[in-house]
Amino acid sequence: MSKTAYNSALGMLAKREHSCMELHTKLIQWYKEDEVTEAIAKLTQENYQSDERFASEFIQMRFNQGKGPIKIAIDLRQRGIHDFDLSEYDFFALAKSIRVRKYGEEPPSERKEKAKQQRFLQSRGFDFEQINCSFD
């Protein structure tokens, strides 16, 4: 195994958590496939790399950014994470606080304005139930 592939990956992990897929995608640009695979396997075995830890931190970061569960799930799958739990997060309260922060406490009286606010929340990754509850 090339120490440089391992060291490069370790340096990336020192800055922030990465999924296995992210590390592989970055390392494969400079190193051979077998070196990359071996480096990632060793990092995982030593618990320097953990997809579970990455998913947990990623979900918390996106939640704090005001992203909904649909967007978070899509982003995680794009990073190679398919097993995660969003149940401990209150996306109903988040959708409401995002809507209130952007548009104010008062629900819109016109259909056109309500539709605009709904589209905004939908673009943030909230589902229709969470969006509708944000107007209560």
Side-chain angles (χ1 to χ4, degrees):
M1 173 183 73
S2 167
K3 272 294 192 191
T4 55
Y6 176 85
N7 289 340
S8 294
L10 196 57
M12 289 179 208
L13 289 168
K15 294 176 185 161
R16 73 165 176 88
E17 292 288 341
H18 287 71
S19 69
C20 280
M21 185 177 155
E22 283 181 322
L23 282 176
H24 186 273
T25 302
K26 289 180 179 183
L27 292 172
I28 203 68
Q29 299 172 36
W30 299 289
Y31 305 104
K32 294 179 182 154
E33 177 72 38
D34 59 330
E35 293 175 31
V36 171
T37 305
E38 196 174 330
I40 292 173
K42 186 173 182 192
L43 288 164
T44 303
Q45 179 188 10
E46 294 169 341
N47 202 27
Y48 289 129
Q49 192 286 323
S50 164
D51 278 351
E52 186 177 312
R53 198 170 51 233
F54 167 78
S56 176
E57 286 188 17
F58 187 86
I59 292 167
Q60 186 64 55
M61 175 187 68
R62 287 294 201 254
F63 183 84
N64 292 342
Q65 291 173 345
K67 305 295 186 209
I70 296 169
K71 182 136 182 69
I72 293 172
I74 290 169
D75 289 346
L76 282 169
R77 287 188 190 103
Q78 287 175 339
R79 287 162 175 78
I81 308 295
H82 299 283
D83 187 28
F84 50 89
D85 182 20
L86 299 174
S87 64
E88 66 185 66
Y89 296 92
D90 187 356
F91 288 104
F92 289 94
L94 180 63
K96 183 167 180 81
S97 72
I98 295 294
R99 189 194 69 74
V100 167
R101 187 176 347 141
K102 183 160 175 88
Y103 298 106
E105 189 72 44
E106 203 57 40
S109 55
E110 296 179 20
R111 272 184 47 215
K112 188 175 180 181
E113 180 60 29
K114 184 174 182 178
K116 175 183 168 185
Q117 292 181 22
Q118 288 171 325
R119 283 191 308 274
F120 169 73
L121 290 172
Q122 190 176 9
S123 75
R124 284 289 187 101
F126 294 99
D127 66 30
F128 292 114
E129 190 178 353
Q130 293 157 348
I131 292 168
N132 288 334
C133 286
S134 74
F135 291 98
D136 295 339

